[in-house]
Amino acid sequence: MTEAAARRRGRGGGGAARRAERTSIRIETAKYIERNIPNFEVLTEEALEVIETNAEIVLEEVGVNFVDNPAALERWRNAGADVTGERVRIPRGLARKLCSTAPSEFTQYARNRDKSVVIGGRNMVLAPVYGPPFVRDAAGGRRYATMADFEKFVKLAYMSKWLHHSGGTVCEPTDVPVNKRHLDMLMAHMTLSDKPFMGSVTEASRAQDSVDMCKILFGEDFVPENTVMTSLININSPMTFDDVMMGAMEVYAENNQACIISPFIVGGAMAPVSVAGTLTQVLAEVLAGVAYNQLVRPGAPAIFGAFVSSIDMNSGAPTFGTPEAALITYGAGQLARRLGLPYRSAGSFCGSKLPDAQAAYETANSLNMGLLSGVNFMLHSCGWLEGGLVADFEKFVMDADQLGVLHGLAKGVPVDENSQAMDAIREVGPGGHYLGCAHTQANFKSAFWKTELFDYKPFETWDEEGARDTRALATSRVDHLIANYQQPEMDPAIAEALAGYVARKKESMPDAFS
Amino acid sequence: MTEAAARRRGRGGGGAARRAERTSIRIETAKYIERNIPNFEVLTEEALEVIETNAEIVLEEVGVNFVDNPAALERWRNAGADVTGERVRIPRGLARKLCSTAPSEFTQYARNRDKSVVIGGRNMVLAPVYGPPFVRDAAGGRRYATMADFEKFVKLAYMSKWLHHSGGTVCEPTDVPVNKRHLDMLMAHMTLSDKPFMGSVTEASRAQDSVDMCKILFGEDFVPENTVMTSLININSPMTFDDVMMGAMEVYAENNQACIISPFIVGGAMAPVSVAGTLTQVLAEVLAGVAYNQLVRPGAPAIFGAFVSSIDMNSGAPTFGTPEAALITYGAGQLARRLGLPYRSAGSFCGSKLPDAQAAYETANSLNMGLLSGVNFMLHSCGWLEGGLVADFEKFVMDADQLGVLHGLAKGVPVDENSQAMDAIREVGPGGHYLGCAHTQANFKSAFWKTELFDYKPFETWDEEGARDTRALATSRVDHLIANYQQPEMDPAIAEALAGYVARKKESMPDAFS
């Protein structure tokens, strides 16, 4: 497909330029969100202190397990922890002290520097869904994801104005051997998009491949000094750090690349059923994880992660958009800020099997709480379906449209003279109409966020046009975006070098499918 | 249908009791929300002062119109306003001073005193959609609303746990003459439900009918001393108070009944396109409206209302769930609290024609902001569709289910010993599982909010059961609730007196349909 795109670009000259002008799609990427609104804080000072104290008690008295990882145990022992077998008990205050060397914000560079993002502070960076083995769309139904699906999602993310980040495993390309698919996924992010992306975490060697490919893309000298990947390191909650994830994290930390250290919690199963109890465990886990990250390389960028869902006590299924998950997300944001770490949480979470009303209620609940809880990096911000088993094409563009709402909300309320609009109120007066007044004419283009998807036509028009629901409108938008996709330029020497790396790596290993 | 219900109850004895036991529906009404979380505030102190100052300038220099209402003009003149024609210019500080006699919270009594609500403070009371001329459901499509639809909605509201209030014109019963339908609507709220309700505002005489019928229901002496109705008085924005709405408001104020004084704003049409400009106008309008309400009767309960939507600059249609509407809603909450008035805003707002994903995103955005902005009375909290033109049966139960999420969020984060769950964390330890631990067993029943509607079954089960979307699940729930509806008890003498009042009134007037 890289070739096909190259041919398309190669047709070149005036015809292509005219075609590009005619297209109704402008490939525009919004700057990451800079909040001009406060964070919503549900924990009182007293509650924060109780939870922070309890987390230290958990680390000291219960401890955490570092599995099959003697080097990690050695690092902990040297740092002053009490190591018995694989159990690491961390004296009060030690983990928090170790975390203090992690930066409170950092830049992740994109190959298109205009799309580099600053993660931390009052910013929020939005990245798409991560991890589903299945995809779904209206035409094809639910099916195993393939590399072609993956590439389609990368293109959609590239074309989506409100997405700042290309993400990582947008879906699992199950048609590519498991030990080689990370190479194709990285290649897709690097060549089909120019937004920042994530590295592989399924084995230390694959993290190393990610670093090596980034050295080709960004330059051998650039990578060790600058962050070009943010990768997802899940903690095996409760309080277990497995060698696979830690192996990948060690590679990234050694290379100054960012990691999200993220408890993966289904409340009631991997954490207590109470909000305060879950927050205690989340904090303990993140403290241990980030502390270990800093033991590997002090100053490496690390993000306080919290993936939280509740459990349906009848079926055992995870549930989304629930009040308990929201309270935990708000609370974890406060804990992250007090630790001085960037915060990752929330997303387009839902349990629904279809991109229907259930999916949208749950997703909107989660997106809103993500913005207000002070999330700095929102993975899964669009496309998530069925508890994360499915990446849905229609929902991807539906959610991506809603991300514009978050951008609008984050602007806050300016009160400069133009915003005060006193001339307009005087001009219009009682019983008048603002549509024609000078202030409206001067400001209407930028005044309101505008959907690219939803329908606000009169009922009769909508009915005549086929009475389409949101999913049907989204099908059209997916097709439209893909039809208008144009691959971003890349130095052919770099493209060739990347392709060569992938080819050599693939040849060096037999296929593995599990 | 009142008779039918009476017959059903009348079948009586052991059979009915057993049937009642077998039914899976318990008719349970949650207590109104008491927030244990902070309000979300987007306006800085500086912004608040700018807006408050500007609103006073608007009242003094631009003024407001009281149309076809000489008595109102006389009241304003006597209070110290500058009255020229129908234009009332209010000296700085006067309106705010007049507003100070309105209570910051009040009790609205229900005939079932367990369901009385306290409006104001940190509370939130939820009432259903108000005003649509059309209804929709999956079986019947979109059609003009009838009295049978109205009664069905009242029954659904009665059966909905998270609705505290029966509302008012849940839909417009277009098959009843316009000058008589308020009688049937009141009768339905009074006899089919025992939750609090709203009065008629479409003419002063209909407001008087509402008061008179309440005297039958609550007692001749009870009504003048106690609030038994909260009614919706819309301001004709910008800054116009028409005689119909004011006539109804005067009746309610004189009888100590509560009014929501509510600007009706489509931003860019009835108010400036900017957030700060709209807030200025909203505040000026509410100040004038509540001040007038207090001129009629100092101490009458009045609510600071704000109905806000943006405009689609292409079609002119109102839009919902937008960031600008959210910022206005958050800001208006702050202004209301500084005025010391209860606050009404937000709702299940959406522009979609169907109860689909668009509807749900927009609604969830609005419901969340309603809770966090400190709304005390949320009209339209379920069932709103198509910009308020349609009351949708499926969306009614979908939204009503989501109102449970707001109840859960409002609980905040307790940090008592049980909530801290330290014993659970110690018991389970690294790598363990919380499902079986003592703390989970003791707490799981109340730990998580539980949907009555959404599907969290495994994909295969869901697929075998017909792969139903949210709307299809909602159709079943509507049918289930209606099938299990049981009319609340009422003193037969009161029922008879109410029926007699309605019959006499209807006989006294020819039918009118416009």
Side-chain angles (χ1 to χ4, degrees):
Chain A
M1 112 257 81
T2 302
E3 286 173 323
R7 270 202 309 281
R8 198 164 58 238
R9 289 220 318 281
R11 283 193 304 239
R18 278 191 300 278
R19 274 192 302 281
E21 264 178 30
R22 274 200 305 273
T23 174
S24 62
I25 301 273
R26 285 189 309 148
I27 303 173
E28 198 184 338
T29 301
K31 193 179 176 191
Y32 51 83
I33 291 174
E34 296 168 288
R35 285 182 184 79
N36 198 27
I37 54 173
N39 298 307
F40 186 65
E41 310 211 312
V42 296
L43 299 179
T44 61
E45 183 65 27
E46 184 213 344
L48 285 161
E49 282 169 16
V50 165
I51 290 164
E52 288 175 343
T53 302
N54 284 352
E56 296 284 355
I57 293 172
V58 168
L59 289 175
E60 181 169 78
E61 297 181 12
V62 181
V64 298
N65 281 1
F66 275 75
V67 180
D68 291 338
N69 195 340
L73 299 176
E74 187 59 26
R75 284 192 178 100
W76 275 117
R77 206 174 279 118
N78 293 339
D82 166 20
V83 179
T84 312
E86 298 191 320
R87 184 69 61 96
V88 178
R89 291 185 176 81
I90 306 169
R92 288 185 211 198
L94 174 60
R96 186 169 284 265
K97 186 165 160 251
L98 290 170
C99 288
S100 68
T101 53
S104 60
E105 67 175 57
F106 64 91
T107 299
Q108 182 188 348
Y109 289 92
R111 70 171 170 106
N112 177 346
R113 293 294 191 275
D114 291 342
K115 298 185 183 177
S116 298
V117 292
V118 179
I119 298 174
R122 300 193 60 75
N123 303 339
M124 180 158 76
V125 172
L126 301 170
V129 60
Y130 185 106
F134 297 100
V135 295
R136 183 189 268 282
D137 56 20
R142 184 184 191 262
R143 58 196 186 269
Y144 274 105
T146 65
M147 197 59 215
D149 294 316
F150 188 96
E151 290 174 350
K152 190 170 172 183
F153 276 122
V154 171
K155 291 176 184 176
L156 287 177
Y158 174 67
M159 301 290 282
S160 296
K161 176 174 178 181
W162 308 115
L163 274 179
H164 317 112
H165 203 283
S166 195
T169 308
V170 190
C171 59
E172 278 285 349
T174 59
D175 57 340
V176 182
V178 76
N179 58 338
K180 300 181 179 178
R181 63 177 67 148
H182 65 290
L183 300 165
D184 288 350
M185 291 194 278
L186 284 161
M187 194 70 180
H189 284 302
M190 290 176 174
T191 61
L192 299 180
S193 181
D194 62 2
K195 295 184 179 182
F197 55 85
M198 305 171 79
S200 174
V201 297
T202 52
E203 215 180 80
S205 70
R206 296 172 198 157
Q208 190 60 53
D209 284 339
S210 309
V211 171
D212 292 345
M213 287 178 72
C214 278
K215 286 183 177 172
I216 297 172
L217 183 66
F218 288 94
E220 189 76 32
D221 299 335
F222 190 82
V223 172
E225 301 301 319
N226 297 285
T227 298
V228 296
M229 283 180 288
T230 297
S231 303
L232 177 62
I233 304 298
N234 278 326
I235 298 168
N236 208 339
S237 302
M239 298 179 285
T240 304
F241 296 78
D242 68 58
D243 60 319
V244 173
M245 282 283 167
M246 289 304 104
M249 189 184 85
E250 289 156 12
V251 170
Y252 286 124
E254 283 158 3
N255 286 279
N256 199 36
Q257 299 307 305
C259 287
I260 305 164
I261 316 290
S262 206
F264 185 96
I265 305 261
V266 178
M270 288 91 124
V273 286
S274 66
V275 171
T278 297
L279 283 169
T280 300
Q281 185 183 311
V282 164
L283 179 58
E285 291 178 350
V286 170
L287 279 168
V290 174
Y292 179 63
N293 176 276
Q294 297 298 303
L295 281 176
V296 176
R297 173 159 166 171
I303 298 176
F304 183 127
F307 175 93
V308 180
S309 94
S310 316
I311 195 168
D312 175 3
M313 285 291 181
N314 292 333
S315 67
T319 56
F320 299 92
T322 61
E324 296 77 24
L327 290 168
I328 294 167
T329 304
Y330 289 126
Q334 292 177 259
L335 296 169
R337 287 189 288 280
R338 281 163 68 106
L339 250 181
L341 292 177
Y343 178 44
R344 170 260 163 152
S345 195
S348 58
F349 298 142
C350 62
S352 188
K353 319 294 184 293
L354 295 172
D356 59 2
Q358 175 181 344
Y361 284 115
E362 294 173 327
T363 292
N365 288 350
S366 187
L367 293 181
N368 280 292
M369 91 187 168
L371 177 71
L372 300 190
S373 66
V375 162
N376 299 114
F377 186 81
M378 194 197 284
L379 192 59
H380 307 299
S381 70
C382 62
W384 166 291
L385 196 69
E386 203 189 313
L389 285 174
V390 174
D392 184 277
F393 285 101
E394 280 93 5
K395 187 158 183 285
F396 193 98
V397 299
M398 287 155 56
D399 295 338
D401 189 62
Q402 279 291 294
L403 298 179
V405 176
L406 305 188
H407 283 74
L409 258 174
K411 286 184 191 167
V413 184
V415 288
D416 56 282
E417 202 179 319
N418 180 57
S419 301
Q420 290 179 43
M422 287 295 278
D423 289 349
I425 296 176
R426 285 198 178 89
E427 180 187 338
V428 171
H433 207 289
Y434 283 87
L435 269 184
C437 83
H439 182 265
T440 304
Q441 292 301 312
N443 290 281
F444 79 89
K445 276 190 184 161
S446 61
F448 300 133
W449 167 75
K450 200 175 165 320
T451 177
E452 300 282 338
L453 181 67
F454 289 172
D455 184 285
Y456 288 111
K457 291 174 183 152
F459 173 78
E460 293 72 17
T461 314
W462 169 81
D463 200 41
E464 280 162 22
E465 290 180 1
R468 293 184 296 171
D469 68 3
T470 319
R471 191 190 194 187
L473 295 170
T475 302
S476 298
R477 183 155 172 82
V478 169
D479 293 346
H480 188 61
L481 289 173
I482 292 298
N484 286 277
Y485 170 77
Q486 292 177 314
Q487 192 172 13
E489 301 283 345
M490 177 180 267
D491 177 346
I494 291 177
E496 200 175 311
L498 285 169
Y501 183 93
V502 169
R504 279 193 308 280
K505 271 283 164 178
K506 284 189 169 182
E507 276 162 27
S508 73
M509 298 178 279
D511 289 355
F513 272 92
S514 65
Chain B
M1 117 257 79
T2 301
E3 286 173 325
R7 271 203 308 281
R8 198 164 57 238
R9 290 219 318 280
R11 283 190 305 237
R18 278 192 300 278
R19 274 193 301 281
E21 264 179 31
R22 273 202 304 275
T23 176
S24 61
I25 301 272
R26 285 188 309 148
I27 303 174
E28 197 184 340
T29 301
K31 192 179 176 191
Y32 51 83
I33 291 174
E34 295 169 289
R35 286 182 184 79
N36 198 26
I37 54 174
N39 298 308
F40 186 65
E41 310 212 313
V42 296
L43 299 178
T44 60
E45 184 65 29
E46 183 213 346
L48 285 162
E49 281 169 17
V50 165
I51 290 164
E52 288 175 344
T53 302
N54 285 351
E56 295 284 355
I57 293 172
V58 168
L59 289 175
E60 182 169 77
E61 297 181 13
V62 182
V64 299
N65 282 1
F66 275 75
V67 180
D68 292 338
N69 196 339
L73 298 176
E74 187 60 25
R75 284 193 178 99
W76 274 117
R77 208 174 278 118
N78 293 340
D82 167 20
V83 178
T84 313
E86 298 191 319
R87 183 70 60 96
V88 177
R89 290 185 176 82
I90 307 168
R92 289 185 209 197
L94 175 59
R96 186 169 285 266
K97 186 166 161 251
L98 290 169
C99 288
S100 68
T101 53
S104 61
E105 66 175 59
F106 64 92
T107 298
Q108 182 189 347
Y109 289 92
R111 71 170 169 105
N112 176 347
R113 293 295 191 274
D114 291 341
K115 298 185 183 178
S116 298
V117 292
V118 179
I119 298 175
R122 302 194 58 77
N123 303 340
M124 180 158 76
V125 173
L126 301 171
V129 61
Y130 185 105
F134 298 99
V135 296
R136 185 189 266 283
D137 57 18
R142 185 184 191 261
R143 58 196 186 269
Y144 275 105
T146 65
M147 197 60 213
D149 293 316
F150 188 97
E151 290 173 350
K152 189 170 172 183
F153 276 121
V154 172
K155 291 177 185 175
L156 286 177
Y158 174 67
M159 300 290 282
S160 296
K161 176 174 177 181
W162 309 114
L163 274 178
H164 318 112
H165 202 282
S166 196
T169 309
V170 190
C171 59
E172 277 288 349
T174 60
D175 57 340
V176 182
V178 75
N179 59 340
K180 300 181 178 177
R181 64 178 67 148
H182 65 288
L183 299 163
D184 288 350
M185 291 193 279
L186 284 161
M187 193 69 180
H189 284 302
M190 290 176 173
T191 59
L192 300 180
S193 181
D194 61 3
K195 295 185 180 182
F197 54 85
M198 304 170 79
S200 174
V201 295
T202 53
E203 215 181 81
S205 70
R206 298 173 196 155
Q208 190 60 54
D209 284 340
S210 308
V211 171
D212 292 345
M213 287 176 72
C214 277
K215 286 183 177 171
I216 298 172
L217 184 65
F218 288 94
E220 189 76 33
D221 299 334
F222 189 80
V223 172
E225 301 301 319
N226 296 284
T227 298
V228 297
M229 283 179 288
T230 296
S231 303
L232 177 63
I233 304 298
N234 279 325
I235 297 167
N236 207 338
S237 302
M239 297 179 284
T240 304
F241 296 78
D242 69 58
D243 61 318
V244 173
M245 281 284 167
M246 288 306 105
M249 190 183 86
E250 290 157 12
V251 170
Y252 287 125
E254 283 158 3
N255 286 279
N256 199 36
Q257 300 306 306
C259 288
I260 305 164
I261 316 290
S262 204
F264 185 96
I265 305 260
V266 179
M270 289 91 124
V273 287
S274 65
V275 171
T278 298
L279 283 170
T280 300
Q281 185 183 309
V282 164
L283 179 58
E285 291 178 350
V286 170
L287 279 167
V290 174
Y292 180 63
N293 176 276
Q294 297 299 302
L295 282 176
V296 176
R297 173 159 165 170
I303 298 176
F304 183 128
F307 175 92
V308 180
S309 95
S310 316
I311 194 169
D312 175 2
M313 284 292 181
N314 293 333
S315 67
T319 56
F320 297 93
T322 63
E324 295 78 24
L327 290 167
I328 294 167
T329 304
Y330 289 124
Q334 292 178 260
L335 296 169
R337 287 189 288 280
R338 280 162 70 105
L339 250 180
L341 292 176
Y343 177 44
R344 170 260 162 153
S345 196
S348 59
F349 297 143
C350 62
S352 189
K353 318 294 183 295
L354 295 171
D356 58 1
Q358 174 180 344
Y361 284 116
E362 293 173 326
T363 293
N365 288 348
S366 187
L367 293 180
N368 279 291
M369 89 187 169
L371 177 71
L372 300 191
S373 66
V375 162
N376 300 114
F377 186 81
M378 195 197 284
L379 192 58
H380 306 299
S381 70
C382 62
W384 168 290
L385 196 68
E386 204 189 312
L389 285 174
V390 175
D392 185 277
F393 285 102
E394 279 94 4
K395 186 157 184 286
F396 192 98
V397 299
M398 287 156 56
D399 295 338
D401 189 62
Q402 279 290 295
L403 298 178
V405 175
L406 306 187
H407 283 73
L409 258 173
K411 285 185 193 167
V413 184
V415 287
D416 56 281
E417 201 179 320
N418 180 57
S419 301
Q420 291 180 42
M422 287 295 278
D423 287 349
I425 297 176
R426 285 198 177 90
E427 179 186 340
V428 171
H433 207 289
Y434 284 87
L435 270 184
C437 84
H439 181 265
T440 303
Q441 293 301 313
N443 289 282
F444 79 90
K445 276 189 186 163
S446 61
F448 301 131
W449 167 75
K450 201 174 164 322
T451 178
E452 299 284 339
L453 181 66
F454 289 172
D455 184 285
Y456 288 111
K457 292 174 183 151
F459 172 78
E460 293 71 19
T461 313
W462 169 81
D463 199 42
E464 278 162 22
E465 289 180 3
R468 292 184 297 171
D469 68 5
T470 319
R471 192 188 193 186
L473 295 169
T475 303
S476 298
R477 183 153 173 84
V478 169
D479 294 346
H480 188 60
L481 288 173
I482 292 298
N484 286 278
Y485 170 77
Q486 292 178 315
Q487 191 173 13
E489 302 283 345
M490 177 181 266
D491 178 345
I494 291 178
E496 201 174 310
L498 285 171
Y501 183 93
V502 168
R504 280 194 308 281
K505 272 282 163 178
K506 283 188 168 181
E507 276 163 26
S508 73
M509 298 178 280
D511 288 355
F513 271 94
S514 65

